[in-house]
Amino acid sequence: MTMTPWGEALIAKYGWIWVGLSFGFLAKYALLIKKGVKIKPTLVLADLLILPMVALISYWMISRAGVDGEGTALITAGATVGADRIVKLYTDRFVRQVGDVITDEAMRRKAAIREEVQAELSAERTLHDIATGKRPLGGE
């Protein structure tokens, strides 16, 4: 069976990442077993669901570091072993940025509402003063 150029390019570009993901995944569970943690299917499923995110993060780290070959596998394996921490770090960072944007937007809208209410109250006072004769109609 011959390999297509597309398949060769895929393996050349992402092969070491898959090696790192595999070894990192196995190393993570080896460390959990060594600590005495009971491995449940839900834990394995959760880690499998996190794995694509870890692959993206490690690909980004590798492209920033300019690493090739075995170094790619080592960085990816390290990211996989610490996947929970890495995903939590990026999730917290994202949530913090979203919170900052929401806070800024809320403060901006609150200021706009205050301005509008103040203009309304000022107009009501002006009308009341004109109606009671405290202020002339022409504003002189």
Side-chain angles (χ1 to χ4, degrees), residues 7-83:
E8 287 179 15
L10 188 68
I11 290 173
K13 187 167 185 170
Y14 302 110
W16 285 110
I17 291 176
W18 283 107
V19 169
L21 286 173
S22 302
F23 286 141
F25 191 76
L26 294 173
K28 178 179 180 177
Y29 281 96
L31 290 171
L32 289 175
I33 291 169
K34 189 175 179 181
K35 287 182 184 177
V37 175
K38 186 175 180 183
I39 307 299
K40 298 178 183 176
T42 55
L43 181 64
V44 175
L45 178 63
D47 280 340
L48 286 174
L49 292 173
I50 289 174
L51 219 50
M53 180 71 170
V54 173
L56 288 173
I57 292 169
S58 63
Y59 181 77
W60 176 80
M61 289 173 22
I62 290 161
S63 65
R64 294 284 182 186
V67 180
D68 287 329
E70 295 85 0
T72 301
L74 285 171
I75 290 173
T76 305
T80 306
V81 169

